[in-house]
Amino acid sequence: MIINKEKIQDVEVVKIGEKLKPGFAGPRKLAIYEARVKQGQKTLKKKSEDLNELLAWIQKKKAA
């Protein structure tokens, strides 16, 4: 996967769904993403609506 012009091995981010959140001008759709990081034999997963949160999590896991 390429993030911010940096190629990262064994990482995948996919859109897994949507949910409606009430807003001032009516309901709005929020996408739910799942990040998968492969470390050895294990695959670590994290779900979030915020891609920046997932990016920080991926960088933290890859640095460890």
Side-chain angles (χ1 to χ4, degrees), residues 15-19 28-33 48-50:
K15 181 178 173 183
I16 59 171
E18 292 181 341
K19 72 176 185 177
R28 61 184 192 156
K29 288 184 182 177
L30 291 176
I32 301 171
Y33 299 97
S48 179
E49 302 166 358
D50 186 9

Side-chain angles (χ1 to χ4, degrees), residues 1 4-5 8 10 15 19 22 28-29 31 34 39-41 52 54:
M1 170 168 250
N4 295 335
K5 298 181 182 179
I8 302 174
D10 301 325
K15 181 178 173 183
K19 72 176 185 177
R28 61 184 192 156
K29 288 184 182 177
E34 182 178 69
Q39 288 185 334
Q41 296 291 332
N52 289 326
L54 290 177

Side-chain angles (χ1 to χ4, degrees), residues 1-4 6 8 11 13 35 37 46 48 50-62:
M1 170 168 250
I2 299 174
I3 299 174
N4 295 335
E6 180 182 331
I8 302 174
V11 173
V13 177
V37 177
K46 181 175 178 76
S48 179
D50 186 9
L51 286 173
N52 289 326
E53 178 184 341
L54 290 177
L55 178 60
W57 180 78
I58 288 169
Q59 290 174 340
K60 185 173 124 181
K61 292 298 177 186
K62 290 306 273 184

